[in-house]
């Protein structure tokens, strides 16, 4: 039973790492598409670029950080079970 629980915890940690990776990849693509230089006829001011960057990056970084924390916690608990 201990082996099964450890394998399930490690599988869940791998899944959490995959979610974090996909989130960061999707965020990179969104940021790249959102902040393309010259995407408007009038170049955006630095303030609007900063606000757009924060609005795109903050949720992405938060989701990735929490899923990475989940993965680390699952691995620590799986290792400590042994």
């Amino acid at each position: 039973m201990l082996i099964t629980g450890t394998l399930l915890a490690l599988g869940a940690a791998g899944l959490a790492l995959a979610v974090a990776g996909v989130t960061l990849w999707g965020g990179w693509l969104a940021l790249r598409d959102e902040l393309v230089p010259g995407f408007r006829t009038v170049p955006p001011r630095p303030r609007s670029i900063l606000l757009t960057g924060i609005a795109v990056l903050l949720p992405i970084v938060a989701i990735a950080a929490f899923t990475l924390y989940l993965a680390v916690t699952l691995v620590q608990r799986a290792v400590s079970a042994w």
Side-chain angles (χ1 to χ4, degrees):
M1 196 64 160
L2 179 66
I3 294 172
T4 304
T6 302
L7 290 176
L8 286 174
L10 290 176
L15 183 63
L17 287 173
V19 168
V22 168
T23 301
L24 290 174
W25 177 252
W28 170 253
L29 293 178
L31 184 65
R32 188 182 65 187
D33 293 343
E34 185 69 28
L35 297 177
V36 175
F39 68 94
R40 291 167 54 184
T41 56
V42 177
R45 295 179 303 184
R47 181 174 178 226
S48 65
I49 291 175
L50 177 69
L51 290 175
T52 303
I54 289 173
V56 171
L57 287 176
L58 190 63
I60 292 167
V61 170
I63 290 169
F66 284 127
T67 53
L68 288 174
Y69 176 72
L70 171 66
V72 168
T73 303
L74 288 172
V75 169
Q76 284 178 344
R77 288 182 187 216
V79 169
S80 69
W82 285 93

